Structure formats: C-alpha cells, structure tokens
Amino acid sequence: MSILDKVVAAVTPLESDEQRAEARAKARTAATDGDWLSLVLDHHHQIESLFAAVKAATDSSSRTRMQKRLALILTGHSIAEEAVIYPALVKANEEAHSTKAYTEQSAAKVQMGLLEDLDPMSQEYLDKLEHIRGAVAHHVYEEEGNWFVDLKTKLPPADQTKITFRYQEEFSRYTRDGEESEETYDAMPSVSDDRVSDGTLGAKSRN
Ligand SMILES: [Fe+2]
C-alpha cells in the first residue's frame, strides 16, 4: 500500500451507517429548498450512487464509463466546495475544519487520478475504489454531521445567499463543460493503450 493509500485508509470511516443516516437527516432539516446545503446534500447522494454504479458494472467499458461520470460529479462538487464553502468555513472562524476538508479532498483527487491507470476489472482497482469510497463517506459524514450545519447558523443571510449562488456557479461551470466534452473524454487513451506506447497518438496530434 502506498503512502497516499495509507492517507486515504487512515480516514476510513469509523461511524456506522445509522450515524451517517442520522447526520444526513439532521442536515436535511437545517437545509431549505434550493439553498447551498440542499444542493450539497443532493450531490453527496449522487456521488454515493455513482460509487455503487462503478462497483456494480460488469464489464470494462461500462465500469470505465461510470468511473468517468463519478469523476465528473465528484470533482465538480469538490471544486465548488473548495472555491466557496471551505472559504466560508474560514470566515465563520472554523479554520481547522476548512484545512481538514481541503486535505481530505486532495487525497481523494490523487487516488481518483491513480484509479484511472488500473485495469478496471482487477481486484487492485476494486480495492482502491473501496478506499476512496470509504474516505469520501467519512468526509461527507464530517461535513453533514456538524461542519455545514454549523455554517448555516454562523453566517448571516446575505452570506448564505451568496454561498448558494457561488456554489451553483462553480459546480455548473465544471459539469456543464464536462457534459459538452463527453465524447472527447471517452476517446482519451488509457496508459495501456497501444497508441500511447508506440507514440502514434502523440505523432497524430502533432500533425
Ligand atoms: Fe461535500
């Protein structure tokens, strides 16, 4: 196991499914329709469904396709949090929570990048996928359990409105571009692609 794997494994969830469900129910109560917290909760749910879909895929091409969909939503969501929600935590005097959140999401991004280079039908792939899923589940529990619920009460209404607008703006900026370029994305070679190893892909793109 690499050091980065250990970083991810170190935050493997200790909380139970019941505790996670309780945290989400509490966060849902704190959220109002269409506000930043409701959007974040919707995206957390979507990310969980996509992790399950990647794992459930029965062939290489469908697993890779679901992995790309997961990466699109996970990265779009995390970038929106990093650009908008975590700075708001600092503004609300929750700097330690903000720093921890950035660190955990960076580790997940590294592992999602490395996942791209593994054979999607291998055990190594499934092990790494499960590490990432566990780390993301714990991170989500921390956000829903208290960080974000506290943020809802600590900043005034004007800040809440701005956070909602900016979170939507950042998330849609990333995911809209991703949807438009999905065909290009699917055509990207993997590291095992012959066109990469014999250099023809690079030669073609230079012509
Ligand atoms: Fe999140």
Side-chain angles (χ1 to χ4, degrees):
M1 188 186 280
S2 73
I3 289 172
L4 284 167
D5 272 335
K6 285 177 186 165
V7 169
V8 174
V11 292
T12 296
L14 302 172
E15 64 278 356
S16 65
D17 288 346
E18 194 178 23
Q19 287 172 307
R20 268 191 232 112
E22 268 175 33
R24 180 153 302 171
K26 187 175 131 200
R28 277 281 173 210
T29 304
T32 51
D33 265 2
D35 74 348
W36 66 268
L37 185 53
S38 74
L39 297 172
V40 163
L41 294 173
D42 289 347
H43 293 153
H44 285 175
H45 179 70
Q46 195 176 359
I47 288 163
E48 286 163 2
S49 300
L50 285 165
F51 268 114
V54 176
K55 188 179 179 183
T58 54
D59 62 79
S60 179
S61 65
S62 59
R63 179 163 284 165
T64 301
R65 187 162 188 82
M66 292 318 297
Q67 178 193 324
K68 286 174 178 172
R69 180 78 193 156
L70 168 65
L72 179 69
I73 302 301
L74 185 59
T75 308
H77 167 72
S78 65
I79 283 175
E81 286 186 332
E82 288 162 16
V84 180
I85 311 290
Y86 301 164
L89 286 174
V90 174
K91 190 173 183 181
N93 297 315
E94 295 290 356
E95 193 155 6
H97 291 164
S98 176
T99 301
K100 192 162 190 275
Y102 280 114
T103 303
E104 289 172 351
Q105 290 201 161
S106 295
K109 283 186 173 72
V110 169
Q111 296 305 314
M112 284 296 287
L114 295 176
L115 189 70
E116 289 180 17
D117 292 345
L118 298 180
D119 172 355
M121 301 314 283
S122 67
Q123 189 57 46
E124 192 185 358
Y125 178 100
L126 288 174
D127 289 346
K128 188 175 287 294
L129 182 73
E130 180 56 21
H131 272 313
I132 303 168
R133 191 205 60 76
V136 169
H138 179 69
H139 174 80
V140 160
Y141 175 71
E142 291 173 305
E143 289 181 338
E144 296 179 359
N146 59 348
W147 298 353
F148 288 0
V149 173
D150 290 348
L151 185 58
K152 277 291 288 183
T153 61
K154 285 191 169 181
L155 291 182
D159 282 304
Q160 303 291 338
T161 304
K162 183 202 148 197
I163 293 169
T164 295
F165 174 80
R166 288 282 298 119
Y167 177 85
Q168 273 180 304
E169 185 178 50
E170 293 295 334
F171 181 78
S172 65
R173 192 199 317 277
Y174 187 87
T175 52
R176 184 185 57 233
D177 290 348
E179 299 283 2
E180 282 168 2
S181 62
E182 199 161 342
E183 273 184 34
T184 312
Y185 204 36
D186 286 343
M188 273 173 53
S190 69
V191 289
S192 58
D193 194 320
D194 288 344
R195 293 174 300 161
V196 172
S197 55
D198 70 10
T200 53
L201 188 78
K204 191 177 168 192
S205 61
R206 281 193 298 272
N207 288 339

